[in-house]
Each structure stands twice: as structure tokens, then as C-alpha cells.
Amino acid sequence: MKTTIIAIFFGVFLTCTYAAKEATRKMKKAKLYFVLTDVPQIDCEVKAGKIINPEFIAKCPPGCQDVKYRVYGTDIYASFSSVCSAAIHSGIIDNAGGKILVQKVAGHSGYRGSFSNGVRSLSLPRWRESFLVSEGKPRKGVTYPSTLEYSSSKSTAVKSEPKKPEQDLKATKSADTTNTLEKAPEQGDTVQKEYQTSPMPTPATQMATTTPTPTTTTMDPSTTTPKPTTTPAATRTTTVAAAAKTRPGLHRVRDIGSSSVHPAYSSAVAAASRQVQAAQGRGQNTAFRGMSTSASNRNILRPNTGIQRQEPVATFRKAEVSPSHLAMETDLWKPGLSLFDTGFSSKEELNPKPLESISQENPNCKVDLSFLMDGSWSIGKRRFQLQKRFLGNVAQALGISSAGPLMGIVQYGNDPSTEFNLRTHNNSKDLRNAIEKIPQRGGLSNAGKALSFVNKNFFLDANGNRGGAPNVVVVVVDGWPTDQVKEASRLARESGINIFFVTVEAATEIEKQNIIEPDFVDKAVCRTNGFYSINVPSWFSLHKVVQPLVKRVCDTDRLACSKTCLNSADIGFVIDGSSSVGTGNFHTVLQFVANISKEFEISDTDTRIGAVQYTYEQRLEFSFDKYSTKQDVLSAIKRISYWSGGTSTGAAISYTTEQLFSKSRPNKRKIMILITDGRSYDDVSVPAMAAHQNGVIAYSIGVAWAAQDELEAIATDPDKEHSFFVDEFDNLYRFVNQLIKNICTEFNSQPRN
């Protein structure tokens, strides 16, 4: 009996123990499954450098196998590579997507490119940060984030905000709110004051003010005539913080009295403005706003815009500010009271000294400058005047002269129009007077169209453009553009134009949903390092950035976009002079070299040309610093005498790297163009790899009996874009344009940060 009881007891005990272990195992498995499935998803174009986490597991969506997502490196990738494309290139995932493990590592030198799994990766000499990608399995003892932390953008837009339809443009730039509470100046925006709707006062911390009951004006959708509905008298109320109430959305306000309003709506706007001013308080920390309907001042019914008028919504705008009130508000913007991001360090703050002290001619700032001023209806008359005053102060600070900076202005709205070009005024006084006379043209804020116009029409010799002066464009925009700027900006940069953006009164969180092109500043400016972008919180604060802006546009050493594919390289030609070439064909090769050289802008500060001829031995025909004009270079090429001998291409590459490119300047791209007609007597792969690691971009051109495998080994990856073959010397000329195109394509594809 006891034996039976003991057996039953142990049987139950073992069964319970097994069940407990099995439950624990399933729980751990379930927990592990939860951890592994709780993986954040990333977009195809996301770069490793944009994600702050040092190690993370992420899920790539399907369909990422696209050439537009650049990848630099093989096995180890530069941090500005597309993470998902790098994973496809390395074979971790395929076009169907999947989980990947990403680990950040230190910067790398000599990123080697290759073609794998349908993705071509590019070579790169060096970069400040790298990353490794592997199968998306967690490492033991490592906790992975369920959400990824992204680096903040310098732009005024946020990608995660949904876009409005393009016809909305700036139409909803103010939210559908009524009374809003003015922000305190210590929150960093003393100009963008807001109100808070509070239907019933709630006992809390109270501040007694005289608050006018808003005047409401509605617009009949079927007609263009405004209909006033209610006009309650101003009453004495107590402004309270409704702690227990839901805070309504905030929105931006604009200046009703100073707006350039379409004549059909001027009566309604004027009536609303008068009623607001009649009830307006004069408290030092409070400036009341008027109220209008139809559309916000961003959508102030711009004539001939071709945009369908939206349903009328009651919105706020700034009341007309009297001179005394303006002086009161200006006091709130003193440096000690208002903290805002202008994109400058404290050392670059505006010096309060008069501008006249630096208004003399400034030959050390020789730039050709075009200002794109925003003439859209969204600004209003008062802010347009402030913009003109700002441009006049910039002209004064620059010290306009024929030997120094020259400045022209293009006003843009629906369409751009040149107010005056570089040739029109050659002193600051005349330029300032001309700026004061510019009328507001109105319309939208089509900055993209304006950039395209400037690129094609402004910087011309007939308009006063000087070949030796950098071309600079400064775009002043009220909030954000109403068209896309990315493509127009890219073409302008490729033309050597340095683009700056001055964004005034950038979008609030509610307004960001209306931006057509998120991150428009980063897509437009010359470089995304903060040097070319300025954020100003108010048109009334614009004067603070005059001196810092002038300092930047005059810093010609940092105007990186002045460099183009045709004026920023040291090009070394390596010419096969072996006996198999022959005298006649050698002259054909020299003509090919001359035809390529003619396409570049040659000077001691632009592109420089050098040449090496080789057989068994090598001869430096001329170095980079030997000739500084195109004519001298072409004459030197013509004088090269045919040597004749064997073919030691590998030794020639080593010689060129050591004797020619070692004298190349740090800010120049090193380009080697090698022409050969046969197989080398020595190895070419090791010398070619050494050249690549030293930052030399190698192009190989083979003729007749040249070996294809050697041409590919010599050429920088990808081989198809850097190596060419032609069956006869007389057909070399066919590759001149293609070679120039490939050089420029590679130059323009380099990262802008």
C-alpha cells in the first residue's frame, strides 16, 4: 500500500515538474518570439548615419533593390549608405525584404566597391563612420531597441507629417482654431504668438486682462462677397489656464492690416482689422489678434493662382501694429529675452554697430550674388517692407563695387522676375535706393521655379556675371515654398551655384502637414552642414542675421558648390608610347588627350593637367603646376614626342601615383586616364589598387590588343563606368563625350554632407 502511494506521489511529482519545465520553456520561447518579432521597420532609403543607435535590428520592406539608394563599400559600408540596399548587396536579404542586424563601427579608409546581388556598390577613399550588416539574429546578452532613434534634421519640416494635396499649398497654413493663448517669450518665439480657446473660465492661476470677444466673419462658399454675422462687444474677462480642459490646436497668425489682399476682399479685411484694433489691449506681454475668415493670410486669396478656393474657415491674423506698439514688441526681442536658433553661434551674432562702418568697397569679397525675395501674398505689406529693408542692409554691409561683390535681385511669387541684374548697380547707395522702390508682385511662393529661372537666366555674361567670381543665390522664403525645390536646386548646384536658404517664420507643428516637400532646405542648399541654412523666427528679427549672412557669402573658401566637375580636378594622362602604337596612332592619341582637356576649365586654381608617357620606363612630360592656361596645356600636349619601346603598364601606374599625384592639392579630385594598346609585361592589379587607396579615380581606355581583364583591374569600380575599349585608334574620339559625362556624373553623385 505504502509502495503504491509513494509511486503515485513520485509520478505526480515528476509529471508536475515536467509540466512546469515545459511551461517555462514555452514562456521563454514565447518571450523570445515576442522580442524577435518586435522589430522596427525602416524605409529603403534610410541611411545608417541617420540612425543614432549604435547597434539595432531592423526590418527592411520589400522592393528595396533600387539603384537610386546609394551604397558605398563592400563588407564594410560608409554610414551614408542605404542600410537596406547594403543588406541586399551583401546577400543578407533579397528584394523581398527581411530582418537585418546593423552594427556601427569606426570610420574606414578605402571602401572597395563591387557588384553583388543586383546592387552596385561604389568605392570611396574614406569616411568618418562605417557600419556592418548581418543576418537579423540578436546577439547573446544584447538588448535591442523596439523603436529607433533618428538624428534630428536641420530642416524646418518633419517627414513623418502627412502631406496635404498640392492644391492646398499654403491654404491651410493656419489651423481651424479660434481664441488662442499667446506664448511666453521664454519659450523661444516672441513673434509667433498664439491663443488658446477656453469656452468657460476654470478657477486656476489667473491673470486679469482686457480681452475682446472675437469678431467672427464668415464667407459664403457660393459667392465671393463676405458676410459679417456676429459682432459681440468687447467684455471684461479673466484669462485663465484651463488645466482640466483639452488644449485645442495652435496655429500661426499673420498681419491682417499689412497684407496685400485681393481687392474683392479688402472691405472684409479692413472691417475685421478696425474692430480688432478698437478692442486691442496694450499690455506689455499681450498683443491681441484680429480675426478673419475666408482663408488664412497664407491663403489670402491670391489672384490668378489657378488654385481652387477652399471652404471658408474662421482663422486668426495679426492685428495692424502701430509704431508705438511695434516699439513695445521690439523690446521683447532683445538678445537677453529671446532665445532662438538662427543657425549661427553666439560669436556670429549681429554687431550692434552701424552698418555704415563696413559699407565701404570690399574687394576681398568678390562674389556674384542673387537674392530671391519672396513676393507672395502670404507676407503682407509690412513684412515685405521688412524684407526690403533687410536686403538694403545686406547691400550696405557687403560694400557693393565692381571690384568686390555685385548683387542682383529676383522677386518670385507665381513666377520669377528679375528686378535688376548684376550689371545694374555697382555701389551700395544706388542698390539700396532701387530696393526701396521694388513693388510686391504677389502670388504663391514658388521657390523651385525661381531657382530654375536663376540657373538658366541670371548668371550670364550679358547680365554682368564675372567668370572668376563665385555664383551665390540666397533664397528668402516666408515659411516654406509652394512648389518642389529638389530638382531645380540639384541642377543649379551642378552649374556651380552656391545656394543659401533664409527661412523666416518656419512652419509650426500643425502647419508642417501642409508642406509639399519635407526637408526642403536640406534638399536645396549647397551642403547640409548648417553653413548654408538660416532659420529666423520672425520677420522683425531678420536684421539680426545681416552680418552673419554677409560673413558667410564672402567666405569664398567655404563656397563648396563653386566647384564643378569641370573645374575641381587634377587630371593625369598616362600614355602608352610602346612600339606597337606607331607614330601616326600616337598623334591620334595626343589629339584624344587634347580633346578631353579642352572640356575642362584650366587654371592654377581650377582643373590642372599633367601627363606621363611610358614604355619599359616612364617619363614625366609635364606636372600639374607646369601650365596654368588651357592654351599652354594644349600646346604642351602637342609637343609630346613619341618614345617607342615595351609596355610596362603596372610600373607606369606606380610612377604616376608617386611622381604626379603626390603633388596633387588636397581639395582636388585626382583623376587618372590611362590609354594603352596591349597587354602589360608586368602586373597591373597591385599598383592600381594602391592608386585607388590613395584616392585616385582611374579610367582605362584600351585600343586594339588591350586586355579586358587588365582594363577592369586598372579602372575604379564600377568597371563599366570607368573602362572603355575601342577596336581602332581612329575611333577614340567617340569616347570623349562619354568620358566627360561619366566624370561629371560621379562628381555630382558624391554626398553633400
Side-chain angles (χ1 to χ4, degrees):
M1 182 67 178
K2 290 181 180 179
T3 304
T4 304
I5 292 173
I6 292 171
I8 293 172
F9 172 78
F10 276 106
V12 172
F13 175 77
L14 292 173
T15 302
C16 292
T17 302
Y18 174 79
K21 289 183 177 178
E22 185 67 16
T24 302
R25 186 183 67 81
K26 289 182 177 180
M27 187 180 299
K28 288 182 178 179
K29 184 176 180 182
K31 185 177 181 181
L32 179 62
Y33 176 78
F34 171 77
V35 171
L36 290 178
T37 54
D38 191 20
V39 175
Q41 180 161 316
I42 59 176
D43 295 331
C44 296
E45 69 271 18
V46 169
K47 302 174 182 179
K50 290 289 185 182
I51 301 175
I52 296 176
N53 307 83
E55 182 172 342
F56 58 90
I57 294 177
K59 185 176 181 180
C60 292
C64 287
Q65 194 168 348
D66 195 322
V67 294
K68 72 180 180 181
Y69 305 136
R70 292 282 185 182
V71 179
Y72 295 85
T74 295
D75 296 329
I76 184 168
Y77 298 92
S79 62
F80 57 87
S81 299
S82 161
V83 176
C84 295
S85 292
I88 295 174
H89 173 266
S90 59
I92 305 302
I93 60 173
D94 56 20
N95 199 33
K99 298 175 186 176
I100 57 173
L101 171 62
V102 177
Q103 297 168 280
K104 298 286 189 70
V105 294
H108 190 65
S109 296
Y111 294 87
R112 183 74 175 173
S114 66
F115 184 82
S116 300
N117 304 304
V119 175
R120 166 72 70 178
S121 73
L122 306 179
S123 59
L124 188 72
R126 63 185 64 84
W127 195 247
R128 62 178 178 268
E129 184 185 72
S130 310
F131 69 96
L132 301 171
V133 62
S134 57
E135 189 177 354
K137 293 182 179 179
R139 296 194 300 132
K140 187 175 181 180
V142 180
T143 302
Y144 295 95
S146 58
T147 57
L148 299 178
E149 186 178 358
Y150 290 84
S151 60
S152 60
S153 174
K154 289 184 176 66
S155 170
T156 58
V158 176
K159 274 191 175 182
S160 60
E161 291 289 332
K163 291 183 182 179
K164 289 280 185 181
E166 186 164 340
Q167 76 176 48
D168 287 354
L169 296 177
K170 293 188 179 179
T172 55
K173 213 159 188 182
S174 295
D176 299 341
T177 57
T178 52
N179 287 338
T180 51
L181 179 62
E182 184 178 52
K183 286 185 177 178
E186 59 268 19
Q187 290 180 336
D189 190 355
T190 60
V191 176
Q192 298 168 201
K193 299 175 181 175
E194 300 166 342
Y195 283 79
Q196 176 176 334
T197 301
S198 182
M200 293 294 293
T202 303
T205 304
Q206 302 185 357
M207 178 178 65
T209 59
T210 301
T211 306
T213 303
T215 300
T216 304
T217 308
T218 58
M219 189 75 69
D220 187 346
S222 63
T223 179
T224 59
T225 305
K227 293 182 179 181
T229 55
T230 59
T231 311
T235 59
R236 180 80 175 178
T237 63
T238 302
T239 304
V240 297
K245 302 264 182 192
T246 302
R247 184 184 181 95
L250 300 177
H251 74 95
R252 284 282 288 285
V253 292
R254 293 288 173 189
D255 188 344
I256 182 174
S258 62
S259 300
S260 296
V261 184
H262 192 274
Y265 299 91
S266 59
S267 60
V269 172
S273 178
R274 286 193 297 271
Q275 292 178 13
V276 170
Q277 292 180 39
Q280 183 175 11
R282 287 291 183 264
Q284 186 168 351
N285 293 317
T286 308
F288 299 111
R289 282 359 179 210
M291 215 168 67
S292 173
T293 56
S294 65
S296 71
N297 202 16
R298 291 279 197 188
N299 183 40
I300 197 83
L301 301 164
R302 299 153 178 158
N304 304 321
T305 61
I307 298 175
Q308 183 178 354
R309 185 163 58 85
Q310 305 298 309
E311 288 298 319
V313 179
T315 56
F316 285 87
R317 303 195 196 109
K318 289 183 182 178
E320 179 70 15
V321 183
S322 65
S324 60
H325 191 195
L326 177 60
M328 181 274 293
E329 286 193 347
T330 305
D331 289 338
L332 298 178
W333 299 325
K334 290 178 180 177
L337 299 177
S338 178
L339 303 175
F340 57 89
D341 178 18
T342 62
F344 301 111
S345 64
S346 58
K347 292 182 180 179
E348 292 182 308
E349 285 296 332
L350 175 65
N351 190 320
K353 294 179 181 178
L355 290 172
E356 284 73 9
S357 62
I358 57 169
S359 64
Q360 302 303 316
E361 294 184 2
N362 186 7
N364 295 324
C365 177
K366 189 176 181 180
V367 294
D368 287 346
L369 179 64
S370 172
F371 266 88
L372 302 189
M373 65 183 303
D374 190 340
S376 63
W377 295 123
S378 68
I379 298 179
K381 291 180 181 179
R382 177 178 294 279
R383 288 168 180 77
F384 189 74
Q385 291 297 325
L386 290 171
Q387 184 177 198
K388 291 199 295 184
R389 187 181 306 167
F390 166 70
L391 295 178
N393 289 340
V394 169
Q396 185 75 14
L398 280 169
I400 302 298
S401 72
S402 56
L406 291 178
M407 176 176 161
I409 291 181
V410 172
Q411 184 180 170
Y412 69 96
N414 291 338
D415 296 295
S417 176
T418 301
E419 299 295 342
F420 36 84
N421 59 37
L422 299 168
R423 194 186 292 274
T424 310
H425 303 290
N426 60 5
N427 65 79
S428 297
K429 181 179 179 181
D430 291 346
L431 183 57
R432 293 189 73 178
N433 292 336
I435 291 172
E436 283 300 316
K437 298 176 183 177
I438 295 176
Q440 185 176 7
R441 298 182 182 275
L444 302 175
S445 293
N446 291 333
K449 184 182 286 189
L451 283 166
S452 180
F453 172 84
V454 168
N455 185 29
K456 296 175 182 177
N457 303 291
F458 188 86
F459 293 107
L460 304 176
D461 293 344
N463 293 336
N465 185 58
R466 300 167 293 181
N471 294 156
V472 178
V473 168
V474 179
V475 183
V476 182
V477 64
D478 179 40
W480 63 87
T482 52
D483 64 348
Q484 295 190 357
V485 300
K486 182 178 179 180
E487 183 63 16
S489 300
R490 182 186 68 82
L491 295 174
R493 291 194 305 270
E494 291 180 5
S495 299
I497 297 175
N498 298 272
I499 302 175
F500 288 77
F501 249 75
V502 177
T503 306
V504 188
E505 298 189 14
T508 63
E509 288 302 318
I510 287 180
E511 291 175 331
K512 285 176 182 176
Q513 63 183 328
N514 304 317
I515 296 177
I516 291 176
E517 188 175 34
D519 298 325
F520 65 90
V521 173
D522 281 352
K523 293 174 182 177
V525 294
C526 175
R527 293 289 186 272
T528 58
N529 56 10
F531 182 77
Y532 296 87
S533 57
I534 305 171
N535 294 318
V536 186
S538 162
W539 286 98
F540 296 94
S541 302
L542 200 53
H543 66 279
K544 292 180 179 290
V545 300
V546 172
Q547 300 262 15
L549 178 61
V550 169
K551 180 180 177 182
R552 293 188 179 197
V553 299
C554 289
D555 191 353
T556 55
D557 290 337
R558 296 188 64 182
L559 297 180
C561 284
S562 298
K563 299 300 180 184
T564 69
C565 59
L566 301 179
N567 68 6
S568 60
D570 282 343
I571 302 177
F573 289 95
V574 185
I575 305 168
D576 185 348
S578 61
S579 56
S580 60
V581 175
T583 303
N585 289 334
F586 186 78
H587 288 149
T588 302
V589 171
L590 294 183
Q591 186 60 54
F592 174 70
V593 171
N595 289 341
I596 294 173
S597 300
K598 281 191 289 188
E599 298 297 322
F600 291 87
E601 299 172 23
I602 298 173
S603 75
D604 57 349
T605 58
D606 294 313
T607 292
R608 303 185 302 170
I609 305 292
V612 169
Q613 184 182 177
Y614 74 95
T615 57
Y616 283 123
E617 300 178 286
Q618 308 84 33
R619 184 170 73 196
L620 180 63
E621 298 293 351
F622 54 89
S623 60
F624 292 134
D625 57 1
K626 182 69 173 178
Y627 303 108
S628 59
T629 69
K630 185 178 294 188
Q631 189 55 51
D632 287 345
V633 168
L634 297 178
S635 298
I637 293 171
K638 188 176 181 180
R639 291 195 302 268
I640 296 176
S641 59
Y642 178 46
W643 203 359
S644 187
T647 310
S648 295
T649 306
I653 295 172
S654 297
Y655 176 88
T656 304
T657 302
E658 296 167 4
Q659 300 299 320
L660 186 61
F661 285 109
S662 63
K663 308 298 192 301
S664 185
R665 292 175 179 170
N667 62 339
K668 298 290 185 182
R669 296 170 68 246
K670 296 181 282 190
I671 298 176
M672 179 176 70
I673 301 176
L674 185 145
I675 307 105
T676 183
D677 79 327
R679 181 174 289 277
S680 176
Y681 294 166
D682 60 355
D683 176 66
V684 300
S685 59
V686 174
M689 184 177 296
H692 299 161
Q693 291 175 348
N694 279 287
V696 176
I697 302 169
Y699 290 84
S700 59
I701 295 101
V703 187
W705 302 280
Q708 186 65 37
D709 60 327
E710 290 186 348
L711 295 177
E712 293 178 358
I714 294 168
T716 297
D717 288 330
D719 304 333
K720 291 182 179 179
E721 296 176 10
H722 293 83
S723 64
F724 305 89
F725 180 83
V726 61
D727 54 355
E728 295 181 0
F729 284 94
D730 289 341
N731 291 329
L732 273 173
Y733 73 93
R734 296 180 179 177
F735 289 100
V736 172
N737 292 335
Q738 185 62 50
L739 184 61
I740 300 297
K741 179 181 177 182
N742 288 10
I743 289 173
C744 287
T745 299
E746 182 176 56
F747 176 88
N748 295 324
S749 69
Q750 295 304 304
R752 295 193 298 116
N753 57 348

